[in-house]
Amino acid sequence: MQNGPAVRRRKLGAELRALRTSAALTSGEAARLVGWHQSKVSRIETGASGVKPADVRLLLDAYGVADSQLRELLLVLAGSDEDGGRHHWWHAYRGILPPTYRDFISLESQASAMRTLETSVVPGLLQTPEYARAVTRAAVDGLDDERLDALVEVRLARQDVLRSARPLELSAVLDEAVLHREIGGPEVMARQRERLLEAALLPQVRLQVLPFTAGAHVGVTGPFVIFSFSSTSDLDVVVLDHLTSSLYLERKEDLRAYTEAFDALRIHALSPEESLDYIAGLADGA
């Protein structure tokens, strides 16, 4: 979890602390049972440091936790590949990816579903190479060609989550402006619209266009992403992107508010079938 989102470290630590308390053990007693120093247990429980899946298993055994579903949940929080995660391929790009971006990819790689509202650009999972290059060049100032190529590689590698054995379920609402903002020029936009039509035919992708005629709506405050996890809704998290950082929201009331907002946006948006017709009309020059 050293490279995982801090929000998940804190959640894992809180769960382990509760299990230790239920087992009627002090942090010192727990540490002696697994052969650690007491400070290591404290750092894990406060989310100050990460913990390997193998160490989580040691603690769970020490606390007498036999519930297989709970054990799986905590191993997912620890970032265990064998318990549902995908290979941490992005570590190879550690030198060029800011921590917040690595956090986002970590969540995306282990999530079972992703709901997203986009108001300016096509979601990264659906971008063509040319579109991704134009967006990246505009978003990150002063990029040399080598670094730009690497960031585009990362953007395209992320798309493997839609083609894995257990593909991510993607539900995306695109503001109509996304389809009209000319990024990279007419040819790039034409190919990008074709890519959206292709992606929308995948059973794990649901694409809807939010038309200008919808007027003011809850999404005018900005784009957001909701990640969900198959093990339990306790892992769900909302991600808000800013220019220099990302904000992770994990409180139940925040998750409820954004889930309700996304549901409302889907109601105001064109149906998936109508959305495909609309995008196809743009692609045909209608």
Side-chain angles (χ1 to χ4, degrees):
M1 284 293 292
Q2 288 89 339
N3 300 298
V7 62
R8 299 170 75 195
R9 284 204 308 270
R10 292 195 300 271
K11 191 180 290 291
L12 175 59
E15 293 288 343
L16 291 173
R17 182 172 60 250
L19 290 171
R20 174 179 59 76
T21 301
S22 295
L25 294 170
T26 67
S27 58
E29 290 169 339
R32 285 193 293 274
L33 283 174
V34 296
W36 299 345
H37 193 279
Q38 186 271 341
S39 62
K40 179 174 180 178
V41 174
S42 296
R43 289 197 304 272
I44 290 171
E45 290 184 353
T46 59
S49 66
V51 56
K52 297 177 181 178
D55 288 342
V56 171
R57 291 190 186 91
L58 282 177
L59 291 174
L60 295 178
D61 290 342
Y63 302 158
V65 178
D67 185 327
S68 60
Q69 188 172 13
L70 177 58
R71 291 178 71 96
E72 179 183 356
L73 162 62
L74 298 181
L75 287 166
V76 170
L77 280 170
S80 172
D81 284 336
E82 66 188 68
D83 288 288
R86 299 180 178 93
H87 181 61
H88 295 179
W89 57 266
W90 58 92
H91 287 184
Y93 297 89
R94 184 177 302 181
I96 66 167
L97 298 180
T100 53
Y101 194 14
R102 295 201 302 268
D103 287 353
F104 185 90
I105 297 174
S106 173
L107 285 170
E108 185 179 71
S109 71
Q110 293 190 347
S112 59
M114 173 181 175
R115 287 164 285 178
T116 180
L117 166 70
E118 289 291 351
T119 58
S120 298
V121 298
V122 170
L125 295 182
L126 303 178
Q127 292 178 6
T128 65
E130 298 79 13
Y131 186 97
R133 177 174 294 274
V135 167
T136 304
R137 188 183 294 279
V140 186
D141 188 44
L143 281 178
D144 57 41
D145 288 342
E146 183 177 0
R147 185 175 172 86
L148 176 61
D149 289 343
L151 288 174
V152 172
E153 283 179 15
V154 169
R155 182 68 56 92
L156 299 179
R158 285 173 46 203
Q159 298 178 3
D160 285 344
V161 297
L162 295 176
R163 298 185 291 268
S164 67
R166 288 179 291 174
L168 178 78
E169 293 182 6
L170 174 64
S171 182
V173 174
L174 308 186
D175 191 281
E176 187 175 351
V178 171
L179 302 172
H180 291 279
R181 180 168 287 104
E182 195 168 280
I183 293 177
E187 291 185 5
V188 170
M189 286 303 300
R191 175 62 191 124
Q192 180 59 69
R193 294 187 189 107
E194 291 174 2
R195 168 67 180 131
L196 289 175
L197 292 172
E198 295 165 0
L201 296 177
L202 296 173
Q204 66 271 28
V205 175
R206 180 187 178 97
L207 188 63
Q208 291 181 257
V209 175
L210 188 64
F212 291 138
T213 54
H217 53 77
V218 67
V220 296
T221 56
F224 60 85
V225 172
I226 306 172
F227 285 118
S228 298
F229 298 83
S230 57
S231 301
T232 174
S233 61
D234 287 345
L235 279 173
D236 293 0
V237 61
V238 176
V239 184
L240 306 178
D241 262 340
H242 302 290
L243 183 61
T244 58
S245 64
S246 296
L247 178 65
Y248 293 85
L249 305 177
E250 58 176 324
R251 297 186 309 166
K252 290 187 182 299
E253 51 266 44
D254 292 326
L255 287 163
R256 185 182 307 112
Y258 277 90
T259 297
E260 291 174 354
F262 189 79
D263 290 343
L265 290 167
R266 285 182 54 185
I267 292 172
H268 289 95
L270 301 177
S271 70
E273 296 75 20
E274 292 169 333
S275 297
L276 280 178
D277 289 343
Y278 178 76
I279 297 171
L282 292 176
D284 292 336

